[in-house]
Amino acid sequence: MALDPIHAFYCRKDYLTLALQCKIKSGGKCAECGEIFDIDELRPHHIIELTLDNIDDVNITLNPDNIEVLCHNCHNKRHARFGNVVGQKHIYLVYGSPCAGKNLYVETVATRNDLIIDLDKIHKAICICGMYDKPDATKRVAFDVRDYLLNVARLAGTRRRWQNAYIIQTCPEKYDRDEMVKLYGCELIHIDTTKEECVANCKRDIKRQAVQDAVLGWIDDYWSRYNE
C-alpha cells in the first residue's frame, strides 16, 4: 500500500538527516518553553505546515529556517493533540536496519494519541539494562508485552482512545512483512538507510565498545537476510 506524499516525505533520508541536524544544532533547547532536554526528547516541527500543495516545495519542506525544535509537550500543544480520538485507524509497520532511523521517523510523525510498539523500548522498560541489553531472563516477558500490544492494535474498534499505531521492527525478510500486513493490515514504511550509513550512525551514537560491537553484528545480520 502506497504512503500518502506527506508520510512518504518523512521517510526520506534528506529530511531525516536535516531533522537530526536541527535537533543537534538546538543544543537540546526547546524553541517554545526554553527548557533543555536530551536530543532524543526533542521533535522537529515545520513552522509552515506540510500540505499536499507544498510537499514538493523544498523551500518549505527542507528549509532549516522552517523547522523549529520543540520538546514533546510543546510539540503536542502546538498541534493541539489532546482529547479522545474517534475515526479510522492506521497501523504502520516501520521497518529497516538497526540504526537506520526508525525511531527518529516515528518521533517526527507520531502524536501523543498514537500507540508505539517497539520491542527494544519495551525491554528497556521492564529491566534496569540499557537500550541494547536484552537479558534472557526478561526476553519472554518483553515478547509477551509486545504480542499483547499487537493484539490490541489488531482488535481495536473505532471508539478506542488512541488513533494510529506504529510497529517498529527490522523485518528484513519479505515473508515476515507480508505476514504483518496479513495479520494486522499494516501499511509498510521502509526506512531505507544504506548499510554504510547505519554503521556510521552506530559508531557515532553508541560509545560503549561492547554494545557497539553487538549492534554492528545485528546490522550485518540484517543485511545478510534483507530482501525486497
Side-chain angles (χ1 to χ4, degrees):
M1 182 181 298
L3 291 174
D4 68 80
I6 294 175
H7 268 275
F9 168 78
Y10 284 126
C11 291
R12 284 170 42 177
K13 283 181 281 189
D14 52 359
Y15 170 70
L16 292 173
T17 298
L18 176 61
L20 181 58
Q21 290 172 346
C22 289
K23 290 168 68 173
I24 293 172
K25 185 178 179 181
S26 74
K29 184 177 181 179
C30 171
E32 181 72 18
C33 68
E35 294 188 28
I36 303 298
F37 298 86
D38 290 339
I39 292 297
D40 60 2
E41 295 180 282
L42 298 171
R43 305 289 183 266
H45 169 77
H46 282 91
I47 299 169
I48 299 175
E49 184 179 359
L50 301 191
T51 68
L52 294 179
D53 291 329
N54 65 28
I55 193 64
D56 294 321
D57 185 349
V58 295
N59 292 315
I60 293 176
T61 59
L62 295 175
N63 181 357
D65 292 333
N66 189 42
I67 296 176
E68 59 183 349
V69 176
L70 304 173
C71 69
H72 186 66
N73 286 337
C74 289
H75 193 221
N76 287 330
K77 292 175 183 177
R78 187 64 62 86
H79 285 278
R81 291 167 173 167
F82 296 93
N84 297 342
V85 177
V86 176
Q88 182 182 3
K89 70 181 173 71
H90 295 270
I91 300 177
Y92 301 102
L93 174 63
V94 182
Y95 73 98
S97 170
C99 296
K102 300 185 292 297
N103 280 288
L104 177 59
Y105 167 79
V106 172
E107 289 168 3
T108 300
V109 301
T111 77
R112 72 189 302 271
N113 291 320
D114 293 335
L115 181 65
I116 313 301
I117 305 173
D118 181 351
L119 186 62
D120 286 342
K121 289 186 176 178
I122 291 170
H123 210 146
K124 185 175 185 296
I126 64 173
C127 66
I128 64 170
C129 299
M131 186 67 176
Y132 301 104
D133 188 2
K134 303 172 183 177
D136 289 338
T138 52
K139 278 184 179 179
R140 184 65 264 165
V141 177
F143 278 109
D144 287 344
V145 173
R146 190 274 311 272
D147 292 345
Y148 170 79
L149 292 174
L150 288 173
N151 199 46
V152 167
R154 181 174 63 88
L155 297 177
T158 57
R159 295 197 61 80
R160 70 204 176 281
R161 294 177 65 88
W162 57 272
Q163 178 60 40
N164 298 318
Y166 292 87
I167 304 168
I168 302 176
Q169 293 188 12
T170 54
C171 281
E173 295 168 350
K174 184 176 184 299
Y175 171 81
D176 291 329
R177 299 192 296 272
D178 289 344
E179 282 295 298
M180 293 293 290
V181 171
K182 182 168 66 175
L183 289 172
Y184 305 106
C186 297
E187 300 175 48
L188 299 178
I189 298 176
H190 183 204
I191 308 302
D192 60 344
T193 310
T194 66
K195 180 179 181 180
E196 291 73 22
E197 290 173 296
C198 294
V199 168
N201 291 341
C202 173
K203 292 182 177 179
R204 181 195 65 220
D205 297 337
I206 302 173
K207 302 307 179 186
R208 290 180 57 195
Q209 191 63 51
V211 178
Q212 187 182 108
D213 290 344
V215 176
L216 288 173
W218 298 341
I219 293 173
D220 282 338
D221 179 67
Y222 173 89
W223 287 102
S224 70
R225 296 163 53 203
Y226 174 72
N227 58 70
E228 298 183 1

